[in-house]
Amino acid sequence: YRAIFVGTLKSAWMASPSLGVPRQTLAASKLVDYPLLMQSPTSTIAQLYDNWLKDNGVSPKRAFRTNSLPVLGQLTLAGLGISTLPCDYYQAEVSSHRLQVVKTRPAAPSVDYYIVHRAEGAGRGIEEIARLVRSSCNFRRST
C-alpha cells in the first residue's frame, strides 16, 4: 500500500461564550468541569479524542454524542457544552464571537488525511486524483 498526504484538519475545543469557560489556557483535566459534546464512538476522530482525553486524565462526567458534525456545532453554539470543532470550518463563528476557542494544555490534536491505495497497478491516475483531492479538501465551509 502507498499513502499520499492530502492535508491536515486542525481542530480546537470550542464553546459558546454563554457557557462561561475562562479565556486563559486550561489544563486538559479542567474539561471535566463542563459537559462535553462529542462525535459518536464509532468515528475515527472520536476515538482519537477519546484517547486524548484518557491520556490527559479526563473521564467526562457528562458527555453527549452525535454522529453529525453540523448537529455538534449547533449544540455547541447553543451553549450546551464544549466540543472539538474544525477551526477553518467554524472560523466565521469564532470571528463573530458566537464561539470561543477553549485553549487547552496540551492542545487538541490535529488529524492528517491521506489517500491510501494499493501500490501495484495504481497507474498515473492516482497522482491526478491526489492533486484534485488536495485542491478541494481545505476543511472550510462552502459559501
Side-chain angles (χ1 to χ4, degrees), residues 74-126:
Q74 290 301 312
L75 293 171
T76 307
L77 282 160
L80 297 178
I82 297 175
S83 64
T84 52
L85 296 172
C87 295
D88 287 340
Y89 192 86
Y90 284 93
Q91 183 57 48
E93 288 81 359
V94 172
S95 294
S96 67
H97 306 288
R98 294 176 56 219
L99 285 176
Q100 74 179 69
V101 172
V102 178
K103 295 177 187 163
T104 58
R105 190 180 46 257
S110 297
V111 179
D112 290 336
Y113 280 82
Y114 293 83
I115 294 174
V116 179
H117 65 91
R118 293 179 68 120
E120 69 278 349
R124 295 159 86 41
I126 193 68

Side-chain angles (χ1 to χ4, degrees), residues 60-83:
K61 297 176 194 171
R62 298 165 286 170
F64 304 97
R65 294 188 179 259
T66 179
N67 62 359
S68 169
L69 180 63
V71 169
L72 197 60
Q74 290 301 312
L75 293 171
T76 307
L77 282 160
L80 297 178
I82 297 175
S83 64

Side-chain angles (χ1 to χ4, degrees), residues 44-55:
T44 302
I45 290 178
Q47 292 169 12
L48 173 75
Y49 283 103
D50 286 348
N51 290 338
W52 183 90
L53 289 167
K54 183 179 174 185
D55 291 347

Side-chain angles (χ1 to χ4, degrees), residues 88-93 136 138-143:
D88 287 340
Y89 192 86
Y90 284 93
Q91 183 57 48
E93 288 81 359
S136 63
N138 60 20
F139 305 110
R140 290 181 180 87
R141 188 175 303 146
S142 299
T143 53

